[in-house]
Structures are given as structure tokens and as C-alpha cells.
Amino acid sequence: MKLLLAAPCNLVSNDPELGHSLIGVFHDIMVRVIPGAEIPNNAVLPKEWAIFSKWSLDPGEEGRNHFLVTEIYWPDGSKLSETRIKSLAPGVSPSISFIVRSQGFPFGQAGKIKINLRVEEEDGTDIKIAHEAVEIEILVRIEKDLALQ
């Protein structure tokens, strides 16, 4: 198995005939706040976003159920979340895709949000790691904006 693409974005559209559309791919985000505002370390903006990943399958990996384990970490290293989802179209093509959707974007800490993506494979009753974790980062910048007062 090989990672072809991993990208955080504002929106992912999935069309069975045309494939995927990634809208608003980003690697950093700027949050403007009122000067003097206290922001909790675990603050999350009510903002929808997604992480899209596509993986090529090696011969013999088709026909099995694959799962993506996604771990998201705050800049201070503490874990924000962990999810496990099944592939969009298991075993029907030489590649698989995952869309991890979130209803909130973490902004309580300035710095790099780390996202680990790991693929697991189910073969009968056994679950094994099909691809070791890969890491992507999103830089969160917090700016004090006088115009917001």
C-alpha cells in the first residue's frame, strides 16, 4: 500500500463517476480574535472541514476491508481526537479513499496541529496495520485584530 494524497480541506465532494473534488485545500489557518480575549487551550471553532486521503493497493490487498485511523494532536502534544472509519469503496479498485469530516476546527493553541493517518486491514477476524502512520501538519496562527473591537 502506498499513500497517493493526504490533504486537509474545507470540503470534499465524492462523485461515483467523476471522483473526488477537494475544495479549499489548506496547510495553515489564521484566526483573528479581539485583543485581550482569553482563548481556552482546548477551544474549537464551529467550522466544518475534512481530511481526504487516497491510497494505492498492492496486489493481494483488494477485497479486504480497510480502515483509516486518524489521530489529531494539539501543538502541545496532547491528543484532541481519534477516529476509525471504513474505506469508501473497499476492494473494488486498485485504490481506496477516505474522507474524515469534522464539525469543529481546533484553534485554542497557536502552532502545528499534527494529524497521524494509519491504515488497518481486516482479513477475516484479524486486524493488522496495512500502512504505518504518516503525519501531516496544519499551522494555526492566532492574530489579535483591533478592527474586531
Side-chain angles (χ1 to χ4, degrees):
M1 179 173 294
K2 178 181 173 187
L3 176 65
L4 300 174
L5 174 68
C9 46
N10 288 322
L11 178 65
V12 178
S13 174
N14 181 28
D15 184 305
E17 293 180 21
L18 300 175
H20 301 93
S21 294
L22 309 183
I23 301 169
V25 175
F26 60 89
H27 58 84
D28 66 71
I29 188 166
M30 166 95 56
V31 180
R32 291 187 171 91
V33 298
I34 298 170
E38 293 294 323
I39 302 170
N41 276 350
N42 62 350
V44 175
L45 275 172
K47 162 92 176 93
E48 289 184 36
W49 64 292
I51 303 164
F52 174 80
S53 64
K54 185 167 187 158
W55 310 75
S56 66
L57 296 176
D58 292 334
E61 291 180 319
E62 298 96 349
R64 296 184 181 156
N65 289 320
H66 291 89
F67 299 85
L68 181 72
V69 178
T70 305
E71 299 171 323
I72 302 177
Y73 294 90
W74 290 99
D76 69 5
S78 60
K79 187 182 281 189
L80 169 65
S81 67
E82 181 173 340
T83 59
R84 184 175 189 263
I85 61 170
K86 192 173 183 178
S87 65
L88 298 175
V92 296
S93 73
S95 65
I96 54 173
S97 301
F98 298 94
I99 302 171
V100 179
R101 299 182 194 280
S102 180
Q103 299 297 313
F105 191 87
F107 82 103
Q109 300 172 25
K112 292 180 180 177
I113 300 288
K114 293 185 181 178
I115 302 167
N116 290 335
L117 305 173
R118 178 182 76 242
V119 179
E120 296 177 343
E121 180 180 277
E122 185 180 86
D123 187 13
T125 57
D126 296 330
I127 294 177
K128 66 177 187 174
I129 295 175
H131 196 288
E132 294 292 332
V134 294
E135 183 178 282
I136 57 176
E137 296 179 340
I138 303 171
L139 178 63
V140 175
R141 296 178 289 145
I142 301 173
E143 178 181 281
K144 308 290 183 182
D145 191 339
L146 294 174
L148 295 175
Q149 289 183 329

